[in-house]
């Protein structure tokens, strides 16, 4: 080690990190993670819950669309049958 002592350690670590600013950001990130390790997982959990909720809403919307589509198709088929019977002169219920 040189006669610079701890300053030499800091400059060496800064060089390895890609500069002083990057080293400081890495130290701050490490401090945040150490101070509140659950915060990151809490954020991930909230994100996962939000994603699942969005997926549930999407699934509900798709099922409603499919139900409406089936109802429209049945109405079209029924109208077609009634028209055919009307054209053929049959009694329409």
């Amino acid at each position: 080690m040189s006669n610079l002592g701890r300053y030499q350690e800091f400059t060496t670590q800064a060089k390895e990190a890609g500069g002083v600013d990057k080293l400081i950001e890495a130290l701050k990130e490490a401090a945040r993670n150490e101070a509140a390790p659950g915060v990151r997982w809490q954020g991930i959990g909230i994100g996962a819950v939000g994603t699942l909720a969005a997926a549930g809403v999407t699934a509900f919307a798709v099922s409603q669309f499919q139900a409406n589509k089936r109802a429209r198709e049945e109405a079209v088929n029924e109208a077609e049958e009634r028209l055919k019977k009307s054209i053929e002169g049959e009694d329409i219920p």
Side-chain angles (χ1 to χ4, degrees), residues 57-80:
V57 169
T58 302
F60 177 74
V62 167
S63 69
Q64 289 299 307
F65 173 79
Q66 290 174 341
N68 290 338
K69 183 178 176 184
R70 281 191 299 274
R72 286 191 307 270
E73 288 173 354
E74 290 173 7
V76 167
N77 291 338
E78 183 180 328
E80 186 179 23

Side-chain angles (χ1 to χ4, degrees), residues 6 9-11 13-14 17 19-35:
R6 303 269 304 163
E9 290 177 33
F10 181 78
T11 56
Q13 290 175 354
V20 173
D21 292 334
K22 288 185 180 181
L23 177 61
I24 291 171
E25 286 303 314
L27 292 171
K28 287 179 3 183
E29 179 71 20
R32 278 193 294 270
N33 290 339
E34 187 176 318

Side-chain angles (χ1 to χ4, degrees), residues 31-52:
R32 278 193 294 270
N33 290 339
E34 187 176 318
V39 172
R40 175 175 285 164
W41 290 109
Q42 183 180 15
I44 291 170
I46 290 170
V49 168
T51 301
L52 291 174

